[in-house]
Amino acid sequence: MLTRSDCVDRDAGDVLAPLREQFDLPAGVIYLDGNSLGARPKAALTRATAVIAQEWGKDLITSWNTAGWFQMPRRLGDLLAPLVGAGASEVVVTDTTSVNLFKALAGALQLQAGDARRKVIVTERSNFPTDIYMAQGLASWLDRGYQIRLVDAPEEIPAALGTDTAVLMLTHVNYRSGYQHDMAALSALARQHGAVTVWDLAHSAGAVPVDLNRDGADFAIGCTYKYLNGGPGAPAFIWVPQRHQAQFRQPLSGWWGHAAPFAMAPHFTPTEGIGRALCGTQPIVSLAMVECGLEIFARTSMAAIREKSLALTDLFIELVESRCTAHPLELVTPREHARRGSQVSFAHPHGYAVMAALIARGVIGDYREPHIMRFGFTPLYTSFADVWDAVEILKQILDDKAYDIAAERGAVT
C-alpha cells in the first residue's frame, strides 16, 4: 500500500527534481494546470526587465539589430525544433495558435488545389473548438465547395478518408480527454489516400516525445504557453518541413514574410524557406519570455520527461481509484501509455464545483464541459508528493461534500 513517504522517496531519486528550482511556484499551491498555462520560469522576470528597461528603454529602435529582435522568431524556432522532431530552419515562433493553424491549413489546401475532387477537411468533433472554427471559416471564405467532415471517435478516421479528402487535421493529444493519436500511422494512412496532414501540438510540445519528420507529418502548429512555459498568451509556433517550403503559400502575406521587407516594394515577393510563415511585426517582449522556458528543456531530454510524466499520471490514476472509490468519478483519459498525453481527466456529476473547491484549497487544475476535471502533470516541476497531496485533498472534499454546486462560474473555467 502506497504512502506519502513512498512518494517523497520517489522525489528524492527523481533526476528531474532539481529543475523544479527553475520555476517560481507559489508556496502552498499544488499546480496541476500546466496543460493550460505553464508556471513561470524564474529567469522570465529578469529577461522581461532586461528587454523593457534596457533593450526598449535605453537602446530603443536600435535593438531590432543590436539585440537580435528581428531574428528572434527563427532563432526561437530552432531552439524549439528538437522538441518536436523538426530540422533547422523548419520552425518559427510567431502569432497565435489559431492564426498559425489558418496559415498551415491554407498552405495544405493550396498543395491540393490541383485536384478538384479534394474538397473535404477531416477532423474530430472533439477537436479543440478553435481548430474546427478556423477550418469552417477558411472553407466558407474560399467558397469553393470545401466542407468539414467531423468524426466522433478515433476509430472512425480511416473510413472518413477517401478520394475527396484534402486534409486530415488532428490535435495530437486531445485537450479534453488526453487521448494521444498515433501520428506515424495516421500520417501514413492519410498519405495513402492522397491527403495532407495538419497536426496541432498544443498539448504535445514539451509534454510527450514528438518526431514530425520521422512520422511523416506535413504541417504542424502549437502553442508555447502550456508545457513550454512561455507565459500567458505567448506566441505560438508553426512547422513547415523543408520538402514543402518551396511550395508553401499562405494568404497572410505580411511584410515579415517578404523576401526584402525593407525594400518597401508595392508587390509581395515571398521569402525563401520557413520565413514564408511569418506575417507582421513580432511581439518582442512576449517572444523573449519564450526563450526562458525553452532553455530549461536543454537541461534534460524528452525521454526523461516522458518517463516521469507516465509515472506521475499512473500514480494519480492509481491513488484516485483506490482512495476515492466511494464517489462517482469516471476516468476519461486512456490507461494505455501509448494513448495518453501528460494529463488525467476525470468526470464527476459536479465536476465544476469540485474543481472550484480544489482550487480554493490550493490544488489548481481546471474544468471542461461536460463534467470533466483536468489535471495536468508537468514533469519539470510536478513532484510525486504533489500527486499524493492533491489526491488527499480531493478525497477530503468528496468525502465531506465540501463543494458548492450553485457556485457562480467565472469567465474562464
Side-chain angles (χ1 to χ4, degrees):
M1 190 112 177
L2 277 172
T3 66
R4 190 179 191 280
S5 294
D6 294 327
C7 295
V8 172
D9 289 342
R10 293 183 74 172
D11 287 328
D14 174 22
V15 296
L16 295 183
L19 294 179
R20 184 181 174 102
E21 292 303 313
Q22 299 300 313
F23 295 89
D24 191 9
L25 294 163
V29 168
I30 300 171
Y31 192 62
L32 302 181
D33 208 13
N35 55 312
S36 188
L37 174 65
R40 178 175 70 82
K42 290 178 179 177
L45 184 58
T46 302
R47 181 71 180 110
T49 300
V51 172
I52 294 170
Q54 180 63 45
E55 295 177 12
W56 176 22
K58 303 289 191 224
D59 301 334
L60 295 166
I61 201 168
T62 66
S63 287
W64 285 108
N65 292 318
T66 61
W69 287 359
F70 191 75
Q71 293 79 21
M72 199 180 297
R74 297 171 186 254
R75 184 171 61 80
L76 293 178
D78 283 343
L79 285 177
L80 193 154
L83 301 180
V84 295
S89 300
E90 289 188 337
V91 178
V92 284
V93 177
T94 185
D95 296 323
T96 68
T97 307
S98 297
V99 170
N100 285 335
L101 179 64
F102 181 88
K103 298 175 198 171
L105 189 54
L109 292 178
Q110 179 65 29
L111 285 182
Q112 299 283 48
D115 189 340
R117 301 171 302 167
R118 298 190 178 276
K119 297 293 185 182
V120 174
I121 300 166
V122 175
T123 193
E124 294 181 284
R125 195 180 307 276
S126 65
N127 202 350
F128 191 72
T130 198
D131 293 36
I132 301 174
Y133 302 160
M134 295 304 286
Q136 291 170 341
L138 181 58
S140 175
W141 184 262
L142 291 173
D143 194 24
R144 297 177 187 170
Y146 287 104
Q147 58 180 292
I148 316 301
R149 181 175 297 155
L150 301 176
V151 300
D152 291 307
E155 54 268 26
E156 295 179 8
I157 293 172
L161 300 174
T163 56
D164 61 351
T165 307
V167 176
L168 174 62
M169 179 185 72
L170 295 172
T171 296
H172 185 220
V173 173
N174 186 275
Y175 79 100
R176 183 187 283 117
S177 68
Y179 177 93
Q180 179 176 267
H181 284 293
D182 186 333
M183 181 183 290
L186 287 172
S187 295
L189 182 64
R191 191 161 52 251
Q192 291 171 16
H193 288 277
V196 174
T197 52
V198 174
W199 289 93
D200 183 338
L201 306 180
H203 290 268
S204 305
V208 301
V210 178
D211 198 327
L212 292 165
N213 275 310
R214 181 200 66 193
D215 290 347
D218 290 299
F219 298 96
I221 56 93
C223 73
T224 66
Y225 55 79
K226 301 183 191 302
Y227 294 101
L228 297 179
N229 308 299
F237 66 89
I238 179 169
W239 170 75
V240 181
Q242 293 283 353
R243 71 181 189 277
H244 287 327
Q245 288 181 4
Q247 293 79 37
F248 180 65
R249 298 286 188 278
Q250 55 96 1
L252 303 181
S253 47
W255 72 311
W256 275 57
H258 196 283
F262 285 90
M264 303 298 177
H267 299 290
F268 183 76
T269 302
T271 190
E272 296 298 318
I274 190 60
R276 294 183 174 202
L278 295 172
C279 179
T281 306
Q282 304 299 306
I284 295 302
V285 178
S286 296
L287 274 176
M289 299 305 97
V290 173
E291 187 165 9
C292 299
L294 293 178
E295 285 175 342
I296 298 173
F297 283 88
R299 306 183 187 199
T300 184
S301 68
M302 286 308 304
I305 288 171
R306 179 59 169 168
E307 182 180 1
K308 183 178 177 183
S309 166
L310 291 172
L312 289 167
T313 50
D314 279 344
L315 176 63
F316 186 75
I317 292 169
E318 178 184 353
L319 289 175
V320 170
E321 291 188 332
S322 63
R323 296 174 62 78
C324 303
T325 54
H327 304 285
L329 291 165
E330 177 190 355
L331 178 65
V332 177
T333 303
R335 296 180 190 276
E336 183 185 354
H337 284 181
R339 292 289 172 265
R340 187 195 309 164
S342 198
Q343 72 182 61
V344 177
S345 297
F346 276 98
H348 185 278
H350 302 300
Y352 179 80
V354 174
M355 180 55 69
L358 280 166
I359 293 171
R361 294 277 300 273
V363 179
I364 300 179
D366 64 17
Y367 173 82
R368 293 293 179 265
E369 295 289 356
H371 313 302
I372 291 177
M373 300 183 291
R374 298 193 311 174
F375 302 89
F377 297 86
T378 305
L380 296 176
Y381 54 77
T382 305
S383 71
F384 292 97
D386 285 339
V387 174
W388 175 276
D389 293 341
V391 175
E392 179 65 18
I393 293 170
L394 173 63
K395 180 179 185 300
Q396 292 171 6
I397 289 170
L398 293 174
D399 286 349
D400 298 340
K401 294 186 178 180
Y403 52 86
D404 180 6
I405 61 174
E408 183 177 351
R409 298 195 182 191
V412 177
T413 62

